[in-house]
Amino acid sequence: MNKAYETMRGFWLDVNNLQHKKEVPLLGDKKICVAGVEMAAQDPKGGIKNVLIAASSLGNASVYFENNSPSGLGGFTGGAASGPVRDKALRLMQAAAVASAALPAVAALQAPADPQKVVLFACGGDGRLFAQELPEAEVRQPQHPLYGFFAYTQQLLGAFRTEQEKAAAAAQPAAPKAVQAPAVPKQEEK
């Protein structure tokens, strides 16, 4: 795991970073205020790259991924004000609060080393961490007890993708309007 990714991952897993916010909602029996998923991806250059999708009960969210850029990190942040990212972040948090009952307490979050597995995690407002690693193919099944939690992480990712596409389209220069030559009056034939 590269240092830049590790730093951003640590930021999300440290609920003390929310303490400066007033009235952070604590959801469910385990008082969840941060939740998400961490995944592994096979790097074409060899090795594993990590991806983190995280949200807070305030409605903000981020996606971070290791890459081969000079910084080693890419990502998106958003959702605090309004819009689809915020909506999906809040839905993710509701699903995580319910699902956290099935997540065991852990001392630290271990990133998956297998691209076919994911780690779902939730952080309590008191700093407790709950997580479980499981095969992605299993958690994608609607009958799986953690399906809703995982599904909202993917919908959050989709909301970020949609926002990026809108931003890219808005940044494109407008196509020049066709200039029409003034109409030339027809001359009558003699």
Side-chain angles (χ1 to χ4, degrees):
M1 181 178 310
N2 75 43
K3 186 65 177 164
Y5 177 85
E6 190 174 4
T7 298
M8 297 317 296
R9 179 184 194 261
F11 176 84
W12 275 97
L13 295 176
D14 183 357
V15 297
N16 291 323
N17 290 318
L18 296 176
Q19 297 309 320
H20 68 284
K21 306 284 185 179
K22 292 183 179 177
E23 300 180 28
V24 174
L26 300 176
L27 308 173
D29 293 341
K30 292 185 178 177
K31 311 248 183 271
I32 301 303
C33 60
V34 171
V37 65
E38 190 164 29
M39 302 174 281
Q42 190 69 46
D43 182 358
K45 293 184 176 185
I48 296 289
K49 298 289 188 197
N50 295 292
V51 178
L52 179 79
I53 303 169
S56 83
S57 58
L58 296 168
N60 57 328
S62 292
V63 176
Y64 293 107
F65 49 89
E66 289 182 293
N67 62 25
N68 294 318
S69 71
S71 72
L73 182 70
F76 311 101
T77 60
S82 64
V85 169
R86 179 179 172 77
D87 178 57
K88 297 302 182 199
L90 292 173
R91 289 175 187 260
L92 164 60
M93 292 305 302
Q94 291 295 324
V98 171
S100 67
L103 297 177
V106 297
L109 189 65
Q110 298 298 318
D114 180 349
Q116 295 188 20
K117 294 193 176 181
V118 299
V119 175
L120 292 170
F121 66 90
C123 303
D126 58 3
R128 291 183 300 156
L129 182 60
F130 307 94
Q132 184 174 1
E133 180 179 61
L134 55 160
E136 183 177 344
E138 282 182 23
V139 78
R140 284 190 178 276
Q141 300 302 315
Q143 66 275 13
H144 194 283
L146 298 174
Y147 169 78
F149 182 1
F150 180 75
Y152 277 118
T153 68
Q154 302 310 291
Q155 288 184 20
L156 179 58
L157 182 60
F160 272 113
R161 196 172 289 141
T162 299
E163 290 295 312
Q164 288 298 320
E165 289 170 357
K166 284 181 188 176
Q172 294 293 324
K177 292 183 180 181
V179 177
Q180 291 184 348
V184 178
K186 289 186 178 182
Q187 293 185 355
E188 291 183 24
E189 290 184 28
K190 293 185 182 184

